[in-house]
Amino acid sequence: MNTHSVTIKQSASTTRYQKVLLIDDNSMDNLINKKLLANAQFAADIFAHESAIETLAYLKNEAIEHLPELIFLDINMPGMDGFQFLDEFAKLSVEIHKKCKIIMLSSSDSFKDLNRANKNPFVKKFLNKPLTTPILNAIQI
């Protein structure tokens, strides 16, 4: 499994969030989204995982204060998709649930995916790819 935890750091005083995690098996999407988030001064610390399974291990083993405030979660990934990740995320501690807010990302325009995401208590928003600066500016979580 590949972890691309290349981190983009910015001054926390000029960003909306301290730490953001991207979960997407597409390394190019991760690179583009990291640059977009950095240019929009969205987060001070931006990193990515290419595996939902790997991310669950990270969430279980990292100290709460080091976890991301916001997770952008892709739906379609091999091994474990975004919905399977949410099922496993539900089994994690309440502290993790409170700290990590999830925004689901999809290139799909399926109403089934949208409805399923909207019914999940951990999904705060469902956004279509690609992310854009106006979309980021509209996020209030």
Side-chain angles (χ1 to χ4, degrees), residues 20-34:
V20 169
L21 169 62
L22 302 163
I23 308 172
D24 194 322
D25 64 304
N26 185 319
S27 60
M28 186 57 69
D29 282 354
N30 284 332
L31 179 64
I32 291 167
N33 285 334
K34 279 188 210 176

Side-chain angles (χ1 to χ4, degrees), residues 39-88:
N39 289 340
Q41 295 186 323
F42 192 78
D45 188 359
I46 305 160
F47 66 111
H49 288 172
E50 291 185 5
S51 161
I53 295 167
E54 175 185 312
T55 302
L56 286 168
Y58 160 77
L59 293 174
K60 290 175 188 175
N61 295 312
E62 191 68 40
I64 295 291
E65 61 270 13
H66 296 133
L67 292 178
E69 297 162 85
L70 197 58
I71 297 173
F72 287 95
L73 174 65
D74 186 32
I75 290 178
N76 296 313
M77 294 182 287
M80 177 183 282
D81 70 20
F83 290 113
Q84 292 167 322
F85 172 87
L86 290 170
D87 291 342
E88 294 303 312

Side-chain angles (χ1 to χ4, degrees), residues 4 6 9 12 14 18-19 25 34-35 39 50 52 54 56 65 67 92 96 109 118-119 127 135:
H4 287 280
V6 174
K9 298 253 185 195
T14 60
Q18 179 60 39
K19 193 170 194 174
D25 64 304
K34 279 188 210 176
K35 289 184 184 245
N39 289 340
E50 291 185 5
E54 175 185 312
L56 286 168
E65 61 270 13
L67 292 178
L92 300 177
I96 294 172
D109 58 359
N118 284 335
K119 288 179 182 176
L127 300 175
I135 288 172

